[in-house]
Amino acid sequence: MDMSFSPADLAFRDEVRRFLADELPQRLRDGMNGTPSVFVEPEIGLEWQRILHARGWLATSWPVEAGGTGWSPVQRYIFEKECALADAPALSVLGLKLVGPVIARYGTPAQKARFLERILTGDDLWCQGYSEPGAGSDLANLKTRAVRQGDRYIINGSKIWTTHAHYADWMFCLARTDPDVKPQAGISFLLVPMKQKGITIRPIIGMAGDHEVNQVFLDDAEALVADRIGEEGQGWTIAKFLLENERGGSCAAPKLLADLQKLARLAASQPMAGSTLADDDAHGRRLARLRLEAEALETTELRILSDLAQGRSPGPQTSLVKLVASSLRQAVDELAVDSFGLDGLQLATERPLYGNESPEPIGSKPAQLAMPTYLNSRAWTIFGGSNEVQKNIIAKTVLGL
Amino acid sequence: MNFDLDEDQQLLKAAAERFVADSGGGDLLLRRAARMEPGGFSATNWARLAESGVLGLAVSAENGGLGQGTVEIAIVMEALGRGLAPEPVLDVGIIAAGLIDSPENAAQHKSLLQDLIRGNTLVSIGHSEREARHSLSWVGTSARPDGETLRLDGCKIAVMAGGGAQHFVVSARLSGAPGDADGIGLFLVPAEATGLERHPYRLADGSLAAELTLRDVKIPAGSQLAGGFSTLKTVAATARLAAAAEMLGVMGLLFDNTLNYVKTRQQFGQPLGNFQVIQHRMTDAYVQLEQSRSHVMRAALAEGAAFAGAAAGAKAFVAEAALGLAHTAVQMHGGMGIADELAIGHGLKRIRVLALCFGDSASALDDYRCAA
Ligand SMILES: Cc1cc2nc3c(=O)[nH]c(=O)nc-3n(C[C@H](O)[C@H](O)[C@H](O)COP(=O)(O)OP(=O)(O)OC[C@H]3O[C@@H](n4cnc5c(N)ncnc54)[C@H](O)[C@@H]3O)c2cc1C
């Protein structure tokens, strides 16, 4: 057993550090730190994406032949960690981590040629059309109907909670192509252009005042049969492949640990009746407790990566990563709100909270970010399979209950 | 022993609930519109509250109030909480009015108090300071007597409903050092006083608070109110009970909405409420709700010297329970829970603000254990 990085890994780490120091503009770091929503706006994320793409460091989870970095799992981890420590913008997962790998795995050569490069360049932005008003946790119950007519599908129905639909050029959409078979079997995975007459987007404003998600109405919207991924009826299998990518394979601990480190540093700047918050034992213990949890998560994530690196399929730990990471994210964001005392109560209505036009904060910029971040953070245990659903999966598939 | 409301209390409860229903309680569009009015709440509803006497609910009859007790305060605040009322009854009607309401102030400040009660003048309290964090006695703002006048210097944060207030009750130190209980005075400062800079800003619940900077603000010596730290502590105790009762009201709303949701929302061909996990979480929420109700009752019924400790304890207990319940309510609603279109998120945000009324849970817990 050995928890240390190899000399080659350490050299890679130094290379990443140098790159971040040289190439990550302060404006983007401020943009990341000034983002209270779960997902970073394209304005910030895309610029960083293009810088990474130019360096060839973008598609960390793609096969090499599709433009992936070819990094070992440990290298991926090191990269994520250094990015978190440097306040690098979180990239949109929709194209890079969700639909990209799907197209790389299930797409035809023509589809790969058409879509993959444009995901990397950021020329196409994507959104995920899975959830519907009646189909959230019970995704297989989706009702959106796609009827084949010549070389295209005519699609009717509605998707909801669609993150960044208002920026997207394309939606990867689960639609029912065969209503007469068992629910999972009648679903197809379609790529639908967003800029068309049959698509209407209704913004849904979150409780912090951010516009991240939408309801999307498809009224005789059209998609080409040529833009279907996989076979008709294969949608569920593909959707599951994608969901597993969404839930596992992520490196959540580095960002959590970086944020906890920031909170620990910040405590010394928060006055507390003659001393500072750093002298408050209750606060210190709360921080320490969360750091313990985050460190355990880090090692769990590294155990998974180590399995992958040795060509073994990872054990049941993958199932608990999303569960632990999302709850921990919420606990860290709640601690942040509490750290700022009464200043933590402010909730600016203006957006964005970065850049020259952003509203004047009360106390400090981090204090201004705390409340909206905390409120938006309640979504972590809901999207991508809620915590209850994760627990059901673990109980059934891991514990055999 | 009997925990039932008497006839007058039942009437008061019905009247408060009627106010909430008639003023659009639960209508989030109206609530949003009210937040956009100049003070951050509905002027029409404020006038109606004034008319019904609620703004002087706890003010003594000699000073023109209703002179009601703690049980009545809890009844009204719970109803307002349940309706997610955006009107600052707690900050103005309980706290600011409470600080002015004393026999010693009657001669000098009765007319201001009556204007407050009638809804003509908005008075809010500037007490909290950044350096204090949640300590009640940490007052660094200074008051220097200078002939017939007083000069105030300092900074106040999270002045609730301060964005639209015409007057502030400002705590400032006449002697001693921050942290000393002695030497704190209370002063009436008009919003337009020279040297007073007001920076309005929004809190999580959408209300319009303010940060105040006082630079050599000159006020007449007569603007000093009777009382000091002990008055603050007395009012803080009432405010903590009121905040706990309002949180209880919000909890009730969130609980009922969520229970209804899990009974009607279908997934996997059945209502969410069929899943045992959901049943247990709703049961936990129910336990927290009932336990919180008991604490609000205990505090409301506590007498004399026992009241302050009981109110501090109730607030510490209820704040924690309310946050837990609100988080559950969001989670049980899935995606709907995070949307601003539902009352759920608004309830969570209101609870966040109420939870820090006169200190956080830790400081309330400290006051509770030190009182025992
Ligand atoms: C910020 C955000 C962004 C999102 N982005 C996208 C996106 O881009 N594309 C997309 O397709 N979707 C997206 N979603 C939707 C998300 O995947 C769903 O919200 C999620 O699947 C839950 O579905 P639901 O909201 O319908 O809740 P429901 O399924 O109705 O669940 C409500 C509650 O019941 C619980 N529950 C449900 N079933 C069970 C059970 N069997 N046992 C125990 N408890 C149960 C849930 O855990 C939850 O607490 C997003 C959601 C959010 C909040």
Side-chain angles (χ1 to χ4, degrees), chain A residues 56-77:
Chain A
W57 280 3
L58 181 58
T60 57
S61 57
W62 292 22
V64 182
E65 57 287 2
T69 50
W71 284 343
S72 72
V74 174
Q75 280 179 305
R76 273 176 63 188
Y77 200 83

Side-chain angles (χ1 to χ4, degrees), chain B residues 127-144:
Chain B
H127 172 60
S128 306
E129 299 181 7
R130 191 162 286 121
E131 289 67 30
R133 202 171 164 84
H134 297 298
S135 157
L136 213 55
S137 60
W138 196 270
V139 174
T141 300
S142 65
R144 279 177 300 116

Side-chain angles (χ1 to χ4, degrees), chain B residues 57 67 69 84 91 113-114 125 127 184 211 268 273 303-304 369:
Chain B
L57 188 69
L84 287 177
D91 310 302
L113 193 51
Q114 287 184 341
I125 173 185
H127 172 60
I184 297 174
E211 185 176 25
F268 304 99
E303 283 171 4
R369 74 192 165 100

Side-chain angles (χ1 to χ4, degrees), chain B residues 69-368:
Chain B
T70 44
V71 174
E72 287 74 15
I73 291 174
I75 289 171
V76 171
M77 294 314 293
E78 184 185 348
L80 294 174
R82 209 185 151 90
L84 287 177
E87 286 72 38
V89 173
L90 171 64
D91 310 302
V92 179
I94 304 283
I95 299 173
L99 291 170
I100 307 173
D101 177 31
S102 76
E104 298 90 329
N105 286 333
Q108 188 107 6
H109 303 294
K110 189 166 178 174
S111 74
L112 179 75
L113 193 51
Q114 287 184 341
D115 278 347
L116 181 160
I117 295 171
R118 291 200 194 102
N120 298 327
T121 303
L122 200 71
V123 188
S124 62
I125 173 185
H127 172 60
S128 306
E129 299 181 7
R130 191 162 286 121
E131 289 67 30
R133 202 171 164 84
H134 297 298
S135 157
L136 213 55
S137 60
W138 196 270
V139 174
T141 300
S142 65
R144 279 177 300 116
D146 180 9
E148 288 303 288
T149 63
L150 287 154
R151 292 166 180 271
L152 305 184
D153 280 281
C155 182
K156 297 291 183 180
I157 62 166
V159 179
M160 303 288 173
Q166 282 96 33
H167 283 86
F168 301 101
V169 177
V170 172
S171 60
R173 186 163 287 288
L174 288 154
S175 64
D180 292 352
D182 290 339
I184 297 174
L186 300 167
F187 306 88
L188 265 176
V189 182
E192 69 272 16
T194 315
L196 175 69
E197 201 183 298
R198 158 167 45 190
H199 182 130
Y201 66 98
R202 298 271 171 192
L203 298 184
D205 63 353
S207 64
L208 201 58
E211 185 176 25
L212 304 180
T213 311
L214 301 106
R215 285 194 199 89
D216 201 21
V217 173
K218 231 158 82 175
I219 52 168
S223 301
Q224 181 172 359
L225 297 171
F229 188 59
S230 65
T231 315
L232 261 173
K233 281 210 335 200
T234 308
V235 170
T238 312
R240 280 170 166 173
L241 167 69
E246 189 174 338
M247 283 191 272
L248 177 65
V250 181
M251 287 173 86
L253 174 77
L254 299 194
F255 179 79
D256 288 353
N257 284 6
T258 307
L259 185 61
N260 182 51
Y261 192 76
V262 301
K263 282 180 178 172
T264 48
R265 166 77 173 164
Q266 302 256 342
Q267 286 290 275
F268 304 99
Q270 54 196 309
L272 292 177
N274 275 19
F275 301 116
Q276 205 163 46
V277 169
I278 305 268
Q279 292 170 359
H280 285 196
R281 292 206 52 179
M282 290 312 294
T283 307
D284 289 342
Y286 171 70
V287 169
Q288 291 306 312
L289 176 64
E290 286 307 315
Q291 293 280 80
S292 296
R293 178 171 302 289
S294 293
H295 253 305
V296 168
M297 284 180 171
R298 270 181 94 83
L301 294 171
E303 283 171 4
F307 175 67
K315 201 213 136 198
F317 184 93
V318 175
E320 202 170 300
L323 275 175
L325 187 144
H327 287 164
T328 296
V330 171
Q331 183 69 18
M332 296 296 93
H333 276 80
M336 293 304 292
I338 60 117
D340 214 39
E341 294 158 36
L342 256 61
I344 303 299
H346 293 274
L348 170 60
K349 291 186 281 188
R350 181 65 186 147
I351 288 167
R352 274 273 154 202
V353 173
L354 288 167
L356 293 191
C357 172
F358 279 113
D360 62 352
S361 289
S363 62
L365 207 53
D366 284 344
D367 286 349
Y368 166 74

Side-chain angles (χ1 to χ4, degrees), chain A residues 38-39 93-94 98 128 130-131 136-137 139 160-161 163 213 239-240 242-248 250 318-319 321-323 326 378-391 393, chain B residues 331 334-335:
Chain A
V38 170
F39 307 95
V93 297
L94 293 156
L98 300 186
Q128 176 180 25
Y130 275 30
S131 309
S137 301
L139 187 57
I160 196 166
W161 315 120
T163 301
V213 296
K240 279 209 324 216
L242 181 146
L243 274 181
E244 276 154 25
N245 278 349
E246 186 177 4
R247 289 170 193 169
S250 64
T318 42
S319 321
V321 167
K322 157 89 174 42
L323 190 63
S326 58
R378 300 318 302 177
W380 281 99
T381 50
I382 295 169
F383 64 73
S386 72
N387 273 22
E388 289 74 19
V389 166
Q390 303 296 344
K391 287 182 186 174
I393 293 173
Chain B
Q331 183 69 18

